Amino acid sequence: MFKIITKDKNSNARLGKIRTEHGILDTPFFMPVATGGTVKAITIEQLNQMHSQIILSNAYHLYLRPGLEVIKNAGSLHKFMNWDKAILTDSGGYQVFSLAGFRKIYDSHIEFQSHIDGTKHYLKPEDVIDIQITLGSDILMPLDECVHYPVQEDYAKSALDRTLLWLERSKTQFKKYDLKKRLLFGIVQGATFLNLRKESALKSIDLGLDGYCLGGLSVGEPEALRNDIVNKTISHLPVDKPRYLMGLGLPEDILNAVEHGVDMFDCVIPTRYGRNGTAFTSEGKLVIRNSPYINDFMPLDKECSCSTCRNFSRAYIRHLFNTNEILGLILVSYHNLYFYLNLMKNIRLAIKKNKFVEFKKEFLNKYKIVS
């Protein structure tokens, strides 16, 4: 299922391969986020042009709309959206967490009101596995309880215990299907308490899952604290299983996590920033709406070979944004995803050459984190 190909001699970065029902994935990799069955402003053809290996969709959103019956009638989520590569589906635990006053959480199940029409829904952890099997997911995430920041340790402990209970039930349900090429990961919780993170990691490992995720981050905690949690929790996860940092993904975050042995990433940042007119470039972030670009006929990034950079200038793209033309957000979203996927390709190449540390240093020396 997961095989380590090589390790960087000067860090914990590693190259690996994950075998799924829809192909073999080269790690480390980044997953474009297709929450509701589409990557915003990006077509499937464009994802293939960028050589995206896998996308992430969300079971919660797809369960509510268009609904499981529609996707089942289509044959699978893959067929519904015309994507023939791997799909990872998030369980929706984070979305339920974000509903705040519109949900109730019990050891047995969750209750929540749809953010779309207010209808009430009741889901057990077993139901969430069933939903993802119906979708045809290659990599499944179990239902987990994400907590806010800051939070008291006793509350974080209670949520952790519930997440582990749900994880055990999720595995039991998953095994009933006997689908050897589908993968079930466990999610490590514990908020900002390192002792709870360690407990969550070790107890999840005892269940013998296909991979392990760091969840419950990027919910308001300071960056330095978040990095410390990632770096120290990774050391408790098995080296022979893929490690997935959920929902966190600025370029500098990815480089730091890869250095500590993380294999998988997802984040809405590339397309969200793209829709708002911020481009990621080899020299840092560029806000294309700004006046300095009104007569700038350079590409977004002179080192980028994506179709946006080959064909359009900063001045033109700025014009599109300032006249509210949809093409502007499409072009920058495409460029940003291409930038991320190309970054991952270069990371893999650097690890293969035992030059990851040098690559990271050179990238960050040139890349202006604040711009």
Side-chain angles (χ1 to χ4, degrees):
M1 188 282 297
F2 177 63
K3 180 180 180 181
I4 296 175
I5 304 302
T6 189
K7 296 180 180 179
D8 182 69
K9 292 181 178 179
N10 301 307
S11 72
N12 289 317
R14 71 255 191 97
L15 282 182
K17 290 185 181 292
I18 301 175
R19 185 180 297 275
T20 74
E21 190 167 349
H22 286 87
I24 296 174
L25 311 174
D26 294 316
T27 67
F29 61 73
F30 179 85
M31 294 177 280
V33 176
T35 300
T38 177
V39 179
K40 292 186 184 299
I42 302 294
T43 67
I44 293 298
E45 183 179 20
Q46 288 173 324
L47 288 172
N48 285 319
Q49 289 171 357
M50 299 177 209
H51 305 291
S52 178
Q53 303 181 75
I54 178 174
I55 59 173
L56 178 148
S57 288
N58 187 278
Y60 163 85
H61 285 280
L62 293 165
Y63 161 76
L64 291 177
R65 189 168 55 187
L68 295 183
E69 194 65 27
V70 173
I71 294 175
K72 187 175 182 179
N73 290 339
S76 68
L77 180 58
H78 293 83
K79 292 181 179 178
F80 187 55
M81 63 185 298
N82 193 31
W83 174 253
D84 62 2
K85 298 178 184 177
I87 297 176
L88 180 149
T89 44
D90 194 1
S91 68
Y94 181 84
Q95 283 67 36
V96 172
F97 152 78
S98 67
L99 290 172
F102 299 95
R103 45 86 166 156
K104 296 179 180 178
I105 300 175
Y106 306 95
D107 285 349
S108 57
H109 68 286
I110 58 172
E111 300 177 10
F112 63 93
Q113 286 182 260
S114 165
H115 71 284
I116 299 168
D117 57 13
T119 55
K120 290 186 177 180
H121 298 266
Y122 308 83
L123 291 176
K124 304 187 298 292
E126 293 86 352
D127 297 328
V128 175
I129 294 297
D130 293 341
I131 288 168
Q132 293 178 81
I133 293 294
T134 299
L135 294 174
S137 310
D138 294 273
I139 303 177
L140 292 77
M141 296 294 119
L143 185 65
D144 64 322
E145 184 177 355
C146 181
V147 297
H148 56 275
Y149 175 85
V151 66
Q152 295 295 317
E153 185 171 356
D154 58 346
Y155 188 93
K157 169 63 173 168
S158 175
L160 164 59
D161 290 342
R162 188 173 292 117
T163 293
L164 289 167
L165 172 65
W166 288 348
L167 179 56
E168 188 171 359
R169 290 169 56 185
S170 296
K171 182 184 176 183
T172 299
Q173 186 70 8
F174 179 73
K175 287 178 67 176
K176 291 180 181 179
Y177 287 95
D178 194 27
L179 298 169
K180 300 189 186 308
K181 291 185 180 180
R182 307 278 188 95
L183 310 176
L184 176 66
F185 282 26
I187 302 176
V188 174
Q189 291 288 357
T192 56
F193 303 98
L194 290 174
N195 59 315
L196 295 184
R197 288 282 175 176
K198 180 179 179 180
E199 178 185 348
S200 179
L202 296 180
K203 288 183 176 179
S204 297
I205 292 167
D206 287 343
L207 292 173
L209 302 161
D210 297 308
Y212 299 91
C213 318
L214 289 177
L217 294 169
S218 198
V219 292
E221 72 281 355
E223 180 182 354
L225 178 58
R226 181 171 65 242
N227 289 340
D228 189 51
I229 292 165
V230 171
N231 299 345
K232 290 179 179 175
T233 306
I234 285 295
S235 65
H236 301 303
L237 298 179
V239 297
D240 61 343
K241 296 292 178 72
R243 301 154 168 175
Y244 168 24
L245 180 55
M246 304 181 75
L248 196 66
L250 288 168
E252 57 269 28
D253 295 329
I254 291 173
L255 287 162
N256 286 330
V258 167
E259 186 171 15
H260 285 86
V262 175
D263 308 293
M264 301 167 54
F265 301 88
D266 81 277
C267 196
V268 298
I269 280 177
T271 49
R272 179 174 290 171
Y273 277 41
R275 296 194 306 277
N276 289 301
T278 297
F280 289 91
T281 79
S282 57
E283 296 181 344
K285 295 191 289 291
L286 182 156
V287 181
I288 198 62
R289 292 179 182 272
N290 291 350
S291 58
Y293 306 112
I294 192 168
N295 277 305
D296 188 339
F297 298 100
M298 295 285 291
L300 289 174
D301 186 352
K302 61 186 178 183
E303 295 186 9
C304 180
S305 60
C306 79
S307 61
T308 297
C309 290
R310 291 199 316 269
N311 293 291
F312 303 102
S313 69
R314 296 174 178 182
Y316 178 66
I317 297 171
R318 179 186 183 277
H319 159 71
L320 295 175
F321 271 93
N322 284 284
T323 53
N324 296 316
E325 291 288 348
I326 295 173
L327 180 59
L329 61 89
I330 293 173
L331 293 178
V332 182
S333 296
Y334 179 92
H335 163 80
N336 283 351
L337 271 183
Y338 185 99
F339 176 88
Y340 267 66
L341 294 171
N342 194 57
L343 171 63
M344 302 311 299
K345 182 181 75 172
N346 289 332
I347 286 172
R348 293 193 295 269
L349 181 61
I351 296 171
K352 183 177 182 180
K353 293 180 177 180
N354 282 309
K355 292 185 176 181
F356 174 76
V357 174
E358 295 94 317
F359 172 81
K360 177 190 172 187
K361 183 178 180 180
E362 290 173 6
F363 180 93
L364 293 177
N365 281 344
K366 188 174 182 181
Y367 182 85
K368 301 180 185 68
I369 293 177
V370 179
S371 60

